[in-house]
């Protein structure tokens, strides 16, 4: 389902059931609710706020847990500072439930950046990002990175 809720708010939503059979007799089959959707709010002519979420099953290479159930939510902001300078920021959270019934990972992520469109063929980009992953097993990490680049398009 997709469409305009109001002239300033539009969205889409898909809901279903995902089923996965495992050939290994020791593993339980998985049936779960799946969804994918987003909503965009056109705050002004130059600013948009988006909220999105999805839930899927993903295979893993772990012998103790052949699949994980991933649920993600993201908040994203776009702002056109100048006609050729675009600013953006986003924050998201991802939960991964491994099918062994023991492990659960949580990922928090924040990022912000700017794109400068020099002309129709050249754009520069700078982006900062911080990630924090934690696990019920006690492991985890925090990562911060800054990237910059020039993109050429023919």
């Amino acid at each position: 389902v997709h469409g305009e809720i109001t002239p300033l708010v539009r969205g889409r939503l898909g809901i279903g059931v995902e089923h996965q059979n495992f050939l290994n007799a020791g593993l339980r089959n998985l049936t779960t609710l799946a969804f994918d959707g987003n909503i965009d709010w056109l705050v002004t002519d130059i600013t948009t706020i988006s909220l999105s979420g999805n839930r899927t099953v993903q295979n893993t290479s772990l012998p103790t847990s052949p699949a994980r159930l991933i649920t993600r939510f993201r908040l994203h902001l776009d702002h056109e500072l100048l006609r050729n300078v675009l600013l953006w920021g986003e924050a998201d959270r991802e939960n991964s439930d491994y099918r062994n019934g023991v492990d659960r990972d949580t990922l928090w992520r924040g990022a912000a950046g700017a794109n400068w469109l020099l002309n129709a063929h050249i754009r520069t980009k700078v982006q900062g990002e911080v990630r924090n992953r934690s696990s019920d097993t006690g492991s985890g990490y925090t990562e911060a990175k800054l990237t910059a680049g020039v993109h050429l398009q023919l």
Side-chain angles (χ1 to χ4, degrees):
V1 177
H2 64 88
E4 284 188 358
I5 300 165
T6 74
L8 300 177
V9 179
R10 62 180 179 232
R12 68 173 173 74
L13 178 64
I15 298 177
V17 174
E18 194 164 349
H19 180 76
Q20 199 166 45
N21 288 323
F22 298 107
L23 298 178
N24 184 332
L27 300 174
R28 294 180 299 148
N29 293 335
L30 173 64
T31 302
T32 187
L33 174 72
F35 64 87
D36 185 30
N38 78 301
I39 201 162
D40 297 324
W41 175 28
L42 310 172
V43 180
T44 68
D45 288 343
I46 59 174
T47 303
T48 302
I49 297 175
S50 302
L51 177 64
S52 62
N54 63 42
R55 184 176 185 178
T56 60
V57 175
Q58 183 180 57
N59 292 333
T60 72
S61 59
L62 302 172
T64 58
S65 183
R68 64 184 179 149
L69 181 61
I70 301 173
T71 307
R72 291 183 188 106
F73 291 99
R74 173 175 288 165
L75 180 65
H76 183 92
L77 170 80
D78 283 315
H79 179 72
E80 186 177 306
L81 184 64
L82 300 171
R83 216 152 159 70
N84 63 336
V85 179
L86 308 172
L87 305 177
W88 61 271
E90 63 187 20
D92 53 90
R93 178 188 167 128
E94 174 185 297
N95 289 332
S96 296
D97 291 316
Y98 290 85
R99 298 316 303 162
N100 61 8
V102 178
D103 296 333
R104 180 180 175 139
D105 289 350
T106 301
L107 172 68
W108 288 94
R109 181 182 158 276
N115 295 345
W116 181 20
L117 311 172
L118 297 173
N119 60 39
H121 303 288
I122 302 172
R123 108 180 119 99
T124 61
K125 180 178 183 179
V126 64
Q127 172 180 331
E129 179 178 357
V130 176
R131 293 174 176 250
N132 178 277
R133 181 176 294 274
S134 60
S135 175
D136 286 352
T137 62
S139 63
Y141 66 87
T142 298
E143 170 186 60
K145 63 182 177 178
L146 180 65
T147 58
V150 175
H151 298 263
L152 303 174
Q153 183 174 338
L154 300 176

